[in-house]
Structures are given as C-alpha cells and as structure tokens.
Amino acid sequence: MPKPGPAALRARYYVLKNLSHGSTPEWFEVPWPRWGRQIELVPLGERALAEGDVGASEALFRELETMGRSPGGHPVVLVDALVGLGDVERTRDNTGAASDMYDEAERVARENGMGLGRLRALVPWLFLQRRGRSAEELMHVVDLCEELARGLDDAMYLANTYLVRAEILTANGDLAGAVEATDRAAELFGDHPVALPGLYVRLADAFRMAEDPDGLRRSVLKALETLRRVDQPTERAAALDLLATGRLLAGQWDSARVAAAASAAVAHQVGDGRGVAYANMTLSQIERKAHNLEAALDAREAATRYFDGREDSLGSLAYCLTEKSEVLEALGRRDDAAADVRGALTALESLRCVQSRPSAQQEYRRRFAQIYRRGLRMACRIRDPVLFVSVFEGLWGRRLVGLTTGAGPRLGDDAILRTHLLAQAKTADNSLAEADGSPTQRLLGRTALRSALPGMIEDGTGTAIASLSTPYDHALAKTHLDGVPPGTAALLLAPVPERPLRYFALLVDADGEACCDEYAMPEEVRSALNDWRSQPLLDHLDSLGPLTNLLPEQLDRLPEGTPLLIVPLEELWPLPWAAIPLGNGDVLGARFPLRICPSLALAAAMRERPTGWPRETRKWVGPNVQAQLLDGVSGERCESASAALAMLLDGQLGQDLIIVAHGVPLQALGHFLDLGEGLLLTPFEAMRAKPGGRVALISCWSAFVPEEQSGDPLTVATILQARGAASVLATSDELSDDPIGAHFVDSLLEAGQTMDWSHALRATILANIGFPEFRGRLRRWAPIRVLGAW
C-alpha cells in the first residue's frame, strides 16, 4: 500500500504497520461513518485555522477529542485532536494551553509507539518553546524529531525538522547554519504549496538578522509569490512585515510604512495579536528613521502593551522597551528612558535566570547581547552612573552573589563524589608522567577522565548552580554605587557585548564623583588580549604595555596610594591588573593598593564582614610544593592537610588561613587544589565553606581557569570570597614555584601580618619592581591578586 499524503491517513498507515504495539481489537471496531468523520475532521479543522476561523477550528477538533476520549477510542484519534487543539491555542497565542495540549499528545503517542504522533506534537511544541528555552535544550528535541522522521522515512516531517532547526539557529545567532538548514528543508518540500510560505518567511527572517537586504528581499518575494496559491494569513502578515523591514533598510520610508500597515491589518483580521505587535515594532522603527518620534513612540507603546505580562514574550518585551527607551531619550524624557532600560533588563534577566543550566544562561547573555549593549550606551549617553550599575551587574551573571546567603546550592553527595573521582583521576593521570603506574592506575586515570564523569557532573550540578542566579534588584544600584567608601575609588570595566573594539568604564573617584563612558579599544589592545588568552603571562613586563589603554585617563588624577577597587568583567577578569604598566617604570599595583571583585553587589556584601587585628594565622604547605615557603611568616602550621581543609570549610571569626598547594585546571570542574596527602578541594565543595577570616591561596589558577567561561568565574578563590572570607589572596595564572617567587610571596605574607593584603601587595611590588628578576619573569608575582572590597 502506498503511503498516503494527508496527515490523518498517514498516521493510521503507520499504526497499521505497527499493530504489535499494544493494539486491541476494539480500536478497529469502528463504524464506517464514524471512521470517515474522524478522517475528515482533521483537514477541516486545519483548513478553518489556516483561513483564520479559529472558533470553527476549535469546534471541529473538540468533536474529534470527544471521539478520542470515548470508550474504545483509538489513541491516534486523540493525538490528532490534541495536536489540532494545540494549534488552535498557539494561534490564539495561549502558549501555556497550547504547550499542555502538545505535551499530552506527545505522551499518548509515545506510550502507544506512534512515531508520527510524537512528531506532530513535538515540531509545533518546538516552535512554541523557541522564545523561552535555550538552543542547547531545544536541539536535543530537534535531534529526536529528526531521528523519528528518518525512521519513518517521512520527507515532510524531516523537512519540518530542518525548518524548526533553522528557527532555533536564527534566534541563537547562527545565521549560516540557519540558511543551510532552510535550504535542506526546501529540497525536501519541493514545490509543496502549503509548506513553502513558512519556509521563505523563516529564511527571510534569517537574512533580516544577518542584515542582508538582498537575501531578505529575494526570500520575501518568494514567500509572497507562494502565498498567491494558498491562503495563509499568519504567514502573509509575517511576509508583509519582513517586506516592510526590507524597504526600511533601503530607506524607502513611505512604502515600508504601507507594508507594515498591511501586515498589521492582515494579522488583526485573523486575531493574530502577536503579528499585530510585530508590525507595530517595525512601524516604530520606520517612524523613528523618518524622525517622526511621537508616532514611533505610539507604535512602540502599542507593541509593548501586547508583550507586557506574557511569560513567553519576555525577550520581545525586552527589545520593545529598549527601543522605546531610545525614542524617549531622543524626546528628552531621560528618566522615562532609564525606567524602560530597567524594565528591559528585568524582563531579560527573568528569562535568563530561569534557565536550568549555566550554559543556557550564558547563551541568553549572548543571544540578547544588544540589550545589555544598548542599556550601557544609554547610561553613558544620559550620564547616569546608577543606570550603568543596573546593566553592569546583570551582564556577566549573578551566581557568586547567590552564594553569599544561605547554605549554598543543594549539591547531593553523589555530585560531590563524582567531582572528587574526576579530580583523583586527573591526579592519577598526571602521576604517570613522573612514575610508572600500574595498568589499573592508568585505566582509572584515563578512562574516568575522558568518559562519562564530566557529563554526569554537569547533570548533577547544573540545575543547582543555575538556580543561584536571580535578577538584579535595581533599587539597590544607587546603594551599591554610594557604598564605595570615601577616600577610595572604584573602576568598573566591561567589554562592549559583540563589539570587540569597544569597552565601557565607570570610575568613582576618591571624592565619590562617578562618571561613565564608552571607549575605543585600540587594535593593539585587542591583539594583546588575544595573546593573553593563547599565551598568558608573556615573559617581560613590556608585553603588557598595550593594556595601559584600558585605563581611563581620569585614573591619572587619583592621588597616589588611593585604595582602588577594580570590577572587570568577562575577558578582562584574568588580566594581571597589578602589573599593568603606567609609564616611567611604574605599574598599577605600585601606584594604588588594589582589590578585585567580580561584581559591585558582591563587593557590597563583603563590606559587611568584620576586619581588623589582632588576628590568628594558621598555615599549610602541601608536601608536593618544591619551593620553601612560609618559613619567615608567623603563624602556627596546620598538623595535616585535613586540618587545613576543615579550617577552610568551617573557620573561626578573625582566623586567617594560608594554603600553599598546586592548582590543576580540569574541564567540568574548572580546576581543583591538590592539598597533598590525597586531599583535593574542588569549587563545588568550596560552595559549602564558611571561612572565618582572610584566606590566602598560593596556588596556580585559584581565581581563574584557562577555559571558556560560562558566566561569572566560579573558582575556589571567588567562591570563598562569596562564602564569607574577609578577603582572598589568590592567583589568576600559573605562579612560579621557584626561590625568587617564593621570596616575593613570603615578603607579601609577612607584610600582611600588620596591614591588609592590598597594602602589603603594593609595598612588596614597590620593593621588588626595580629588579630585572621581577620585570622579566612575570609568573613570579603578576598573577597574585587580592579579592575583596574597600
């Protein structure tokens, strides 16, 4: 029997080919008229929906649902009905109800071995969820759909799978991948009149995102041509909206306005509120380009009213409010503009923080980079440092701030055990380079490291780590800014998202005056940053010369010795700030006592912690450290690695702890500290810590790990900073394990017995910076930094 074309018949065709899967005789004892009615209800409901008669479509699918839920009703009937009702609710933009329908349809189909039924539910579910879930999560479902479609040899659903893949790739910024997926869908659709309009609309949207006016125009014209053969109002509204965008890009304001109005009219006629909102967004852009600001504001407000309050439209709301803020600023309404920027951030951060994986949260940071970029630019344009802080604090992520309260994330014992197994496997693997290992050791080290453990660790910790992120409370921005103590200064630095040759900076001077601006990042600075990532800590101080350009000129006016807090985001975090040259042989860490913090909110939390002297110092040097360290530093040595670890995890107020140990970078953990005696400390275990005073981690990579970061830096040092340490002495690179480096560390720690570590670090740099051994071998001192706040 040849495979039928209509979906309802094709579904039954596959059922008949798979009768062994839980089939019962009563499913097939259906009177001929009833069977015929079930078959015809599906295309009737689909046709009514395509023609914009949503009420009639719902009635038809409700009739089918009654048949599917009646005694003896075949599951394929219920799946047909639920998918149709899901389509009805999706057209009404009732995403919650639509999702429930698709979820139930997929469950019924899965329980009854109906691959096509699962496809029919999952493909529209994917289109529905693309605005609120990460590409990483959705692509798993796309891969499943492709597997099901290939298993059924169903070209139409395989084509739809490519189409939804293109949609997700477009939203995630992979425009080349989106075009490729759409082309593959086009090959499978052939000349299918119903499928082609949606295909060309999605292709045009990819070209719109890529700012390719020629590709956009070609695709829109093809979409409108195919729409002459079929009546699909939703696709027609979308095509007209994209046509308006193309004309806008060409500077044809009048014809763009006509196309946008036509799009809104078609969408309104069929009750497509989202389509009307999109048309209003385009119309607002047109009027803004044409300098009709009041008209642009009216259209933007109409779109904002539609998206406001819709949980599935937070991204669109963020875009709307961002555009609206820029119109308001052009109209001179600066306070209203700032309020809309905060509203956009609230919507975006709400969407980002509910993602269940740190990688997904960072994906949303990349996907909506322009919201952050435009928000920071608005703050600089209207000279609003408080607004700058609001945007800045959400930019990198807020997991570390989430660690400042409570007992930390809920990480089960199994997850902690897996992190230790992976770290132990790495230790065993490293030991093979120094001594012969048994076959068992070799197997343990290499197999565990390279197989399932990293994935198991992510599965066991991802949700708990992601749950630490909460949207920034904008009401605290002024408090955090005003919290910079008088007589100290603060410098906030952030690369401009998606603009590699720009960066933002905010400086609070010693008198409390704050100014913010956007700066060019010269090519030599960008080159130096790239060199830094590929070959951290080049040999000589002069190699850091270009990084001087990252320091705003206002910094030169700070009195020498002013305590300076630096909050550097993203790629600027690991830079050796103390070693950045200032000219005349001077470096930043010699001119100012420095403290580094991942966020201003974390700095505010640290200011509430007790400091001062006298203090008790305990110290531990791992047995595998080569250099002689801490001999001249006062304090009692811990009797064992386990005693040092216990003190770190549950410290006493006013008790300083100095740990000298090897740090090992490791994927899935970031890194870990090898304390010796078989004891390892991973970032995940550090999340349970309660340090009592200052903590010094003389170790490689304690504050940064040389791999791609997913949000704010979760390292042992930064986690201890968040978990209660008064301050943390740490490193952002490899630290030389040699006598000269040991001399610098001992001098620093000895000075730190009578002063805070930032002033001790400055004094030690001043005492040593003139020696060639330090200027020419940066690994001996430049990685060292003080994490804390003034």
Side-chain angles (χ1 to χ4, degrees):
M1 178 185 293
K3 187 188 303 181
L9 288 174
R10 202 155 78 255
R12 285 150 179 79
Y13 171 87
Y14 288 124
V15 168
L16 291 171
K17 290 188 68 173
N18 194 27
L19 285 177
S20 62
H21 193 97
S23 300
T24 61
E26 64 179 346
W27 284 354
F28 303 97
E29 296 170 356
V30 181
W32 182 259
R34 183 180 178 88
W35 186 88
R37 181 61 175 167
Q38 291 172 355
I39 295 297
E40 70 178 5
L41 280 171
V42 176
L44 286 174
E46 290 174 343
R47 188 177 305 121
L49 194 61
E51 293 171 353
D53 194 342
V54 181
S57 179
E58 181 181 19
L60 292 164
F61 283 120
R62 288 293 180 194
E63 181 183 347
L64 190 62
E65 181 189 19
T66 300
M67 294 182 184
R69 296 191 188 278
S70 63
H74 196 292
V76 73
V77 179
L78 182 57
V79 170
D80 284 342
L82 291 169
V83 170
L85 290 170
D87 292 342
V88 167
E89 297 299 343
R90 183 158 64 108
T91 301
R92 288 173 170 161
D93 216 12
N94 295 332
T95 55
S99 184
D100 290 343
M101 294 294 181
Y102 294 138
D103 285 343
E104 185 180 359
E106 195 278 332
R107 177 186 59 78
V108 172
R110 176 168 27 89
E111 290 174 352
N112 290 279
M114 295 162 51
L116 183 65
R118 296 186 71 188
L119 276 171
R120 296 186 64 207
L122 287 172
V123 168
W125 179 90
L126 284 164
F127 280 114
L128 190 72
Q129 299 293 334
R130 71 193 187 280
R131 290 186 292 266
R133 295 179 186 259
S134 70
E136 177 186 19
E137 182 181 0
L138 293 176
M139 280 303 185
H140 289 303
V141 183
V142 173
D143 291 340
L144 170 63
C145 288
E146 183 174 341
E147 179 184 344
L148 290 170
R150 290 190 184 280
L152 296 170
D153 192 24
D154 195 299
M156 288 299 99
Y157 267 98
L158 183 58
N160 275 295
T161 299
Y162 282 124
L163 207 55
V164 73
R165 187 184 295 275
E167 186 98 352
I168 296 166
L169 290 171
T170 299
N172 203 38
D174 185 356
L175 305 177
V179 171
E180 180 183 351
T182 307
D183 286 343
R184 298 187 71 175
E187 293 172 6
L188 292 164
F189 279 136
D191 196 30
H192 196 290
V194 175
L196 290 177
L199 182 147
Y200 288 125
V201 163
R202 286 172 178 83
L203 186 60
D205 194 44
F207 285 124
R208 175 189 65 83
M209 293 277 287
E211 298 180 355
D212 181 347
D214 293 334
L216 170 59
R217 182 180 57 82
R218 289 194 307 270
S219 300
V220 166
L221 292 178
K222 286 182 179 179
L224 292 171
E225 181 183 347
T226 58
L227 283 165
R228 294 193 185 100
R229 293 183 281 163
V230 291
D231 187 13
Q232 295 181 353
T234 301
E235 282 72 16
R236 183 177 296 280
L240 288 168
D241 182 45
L242 288 162
L243 178 65
T245 300
R247 290 175 174 172
L248 169 62
L249 292 174
Q252 301 168 356
W253 317 134
D254 291 339
S255 58
R257 194 178 289 112
V258 170
S263 172
V266 172
H268 179 74
Q269 185 178 1
V270 296
D272 180 8
R274 188 175 295 274
V276 174
Y278 286 151
N280 275 319
M281 290 170 69
T282 304
L283 183 60
S284 178
Q285 291 177 321
I286 295 166
E287 299 296 2
R288 185 179 173 190
K289 287 286 186 182
H291 304 291
N292 300 323
L293 295 181
E294 290 292 351
L297 182 61
D298 290 344
R300 185 64 61 178
E301 286 180 335
T304 303
R305 284 193 296 272
Y306 176 81
F307 292 122
D308 195 14
R310 292 179 172 269
E311 290 298 319
D312 66 318
S313 301
L314 292 172
S316 296
L317 177 62
Y319 277 120
C320 262
L321 288 171
T322 297
E323 293 268 357
K324 183 163 160 270
S325 73
E326 292 168 351
V327 176
L328 288 166
E329 190 268 337
L331 288 168
R333 295 167 56 180
R334 294 190 168 191
D335 290 344
D336 292 336
D340 275 352
V341 169
R342 293 187 180 94
L345 292 168
T346 299
L348 178 53
E349 289 292 295
S350 298
L351 179 61
R352 182 180 171 189
C353 289
V354 298
Q355 301 304 312
S356 61
R357 297 280 184 137
S359 57
Q361 292 177 337
Q362 193 65 359
E363 175 195 314
Y364 270 81
R365 153 66 183 81
R366 293 190 302 269
R367 185 187 297 188
F368 292 95
Q370 66 164 288
I371 303 296
Y372 294 103
R373 180 173 68 245
R374 293 162 80 171
L376 285 168
R377 279 183 175 156
M378 177 63 71
C380 294
R381 198 156 54 236
I382 66 177
R383 297 290 184 259
D384 188 339
V386 175
L387 180 60
F388 187 101
V389 170
S390 283
V391 188
F392 183 91
E393 284 296 295
L395 186 60
W396 199 0
R398 294 179 40 76
R399 298 173 301 177
L400 283 167
V401 176
L403 281 168
T404 60
T405 59
R410 294 182 178 180
L411 297 173
D413 291 338
D414 284 349
I416 297 294
L417 175 61
R418 289 168 190 159
T419 65
H420 277 276
L421 285 174
L422 185 59
Q424 288 166 359
K426 177 66 172 177
T427 302
D429 214 31
N430 286 346
S431 70
L432 296 177
E434 302 173 5
D436 291 333
S438 69
T440 302
Q441 287 177 308
R442 198 172 285 111
L443 181 64
L444 170 66
R446 295 181 180 179
T447 302
L449 177 63
R450 295 167 187 162
S451 58
L453 274 177
M456 293 171 66
I457 290 171
E458 185 179 0
D459 290 341
T461 63
T463 300
I465 301 302
S467 69
L468 294 171
S469 295
T470 55
Y472 183 63
D473 183 354
H474 301 302
L476 295 175
K478 188 175 189 306
T479 301
H480 289 161
L481 190 63
D482 292 344
V484 177
T488 72
L491 176 62
L492 281 60
L493 292 147
V496 175
E498 308 302 320
R499 296 293 185 270
L501 294 178
R502 310 287 296 175
Y503 72 99
F504 292 107
L506 181 148
L507 178 66
V508 183
D509 66 19
D511 296 322
E513 292 295 321
C515 60
C516 55
D517 211 339
E518 181 178 353
Y519 298 89
M521 183 182 291
E523 185 60 50
E524 60 268 24
V525 178
R526 170 54 50 188
S527 178
L529 288 174
N530 291 336
D531 289 343
W532 181 260
R533 282 197 296 272
S534 61
Q535 187 183 353
L537 277 185
L538 304 176
D539 285 340
H540 198 275
L541 194 60
D542 293 341
S543 67
L544 302 178
L547 299 181
T548 307
N549 292 287
L550 289 172
L551 304 175
E553 61 181 17
Q554 295 94 325
L555 202 66
D556 292 335
R557 296 196 285 271
L558 283 181
E560 188 169 344
T562 300
L564 176 62
L565 172 69
I566 302 178
V567 187
L569 299 192
E570 300 184 348
E571 65 197 79
L572 304 181
W573 169 258
L575 295 182
W577 289 98
I580 291 180
L582 299 179
N584 299 321
D586 201 3
V587 294
L588 191 65
R591 184 172 296 182
F592 307 113
L594 304 177
R595 291 186 182 176
I596 315 295
C597 201
S599 77
L600 206 58
L602 181 53
M606 296 193 75
R607 291 189 189 104
E608 300 176 1
R609 299 170 188 170
T611 58
W613 286 266
R615 313 183 67 86
E616 175 189 342
T617 300
R618 301 291 297 274
K619 54 189 182 180
W620 170 255
V621 179
N624 51 2
V625 176
Q626 299 299 315
Q628 295 299 311
L629 281 160
L630 307 190
D631 289 340
V633 179
S634 61
E636 183 180 348
R637 287 185 179 265
C638 297
E639 59 272 20
S640 65
S642 58
L645 181 60
M647 192 177 301
L648 184 66
L649 297 179
D650 191 14
Q652 301 298 316
L653 190 63
Q655 186 179 67
D656 295 344
L657 179 62
I658 302 172
I659 292 179
V660 181
H662 282 302
V664 184
L666 181 60
Q667 189 178 8
L669 299 186
H671 70 150
F672 64 91
L673 302 188
D674 183 354
L675 302 179
E677 301 179 358
L679 278 183
L680 309 173
L681 177 62
T682 71
F684 297 103
E685 190 160 21
M687 291 178 189
R688 298 175 170 182
K690 296 178 182 178
R694 300 183 302 177
V695 178
L697 299 175
I698 309 304
S699 154
C700 299
W701 311 116
S702 57
F704 173 71
V705 289
E707 62 179 44
E708 183 180 356
Q709 297 296 298
S710 179
D712 45 354
L714 291 182
T715 70
V716 171
T718 56
I719 289 168
L720 294 177
Q721 181 185 14
R723 290 298 298 160
S727 61
V728 181
L729 191 67
T731 63
S732 59
D733 203 292
E734 290 185 3
L735 190 64
S736 291
D737 190 1
D738 66 14
I740 297 178
H743 167 74
F744 185 91
V745 170
D746 274 354
S747 300
L748 163 60
L749 292 172
E750 186 176 1
Q753 300 294 305
T754 56
M755 65 179 78
D756 69 81
W757 277 336
S758 297
H759 283 87
L761 179 59
R762 182 188 180 217
T764 310
I765 292 173
L766 282 169
N768 290 277
I769 194 63
F771 296 109
E773 294 87 349
F774 289 92
R775 300 187 69 83
R777 180 65 174 168
L778 294 179
R779 291 189 191 278
R780 288 171 171 153
W781 65 278
I784 297 175
R785 57 174 54 193
V786 180
L787 304 182
W790 298 106

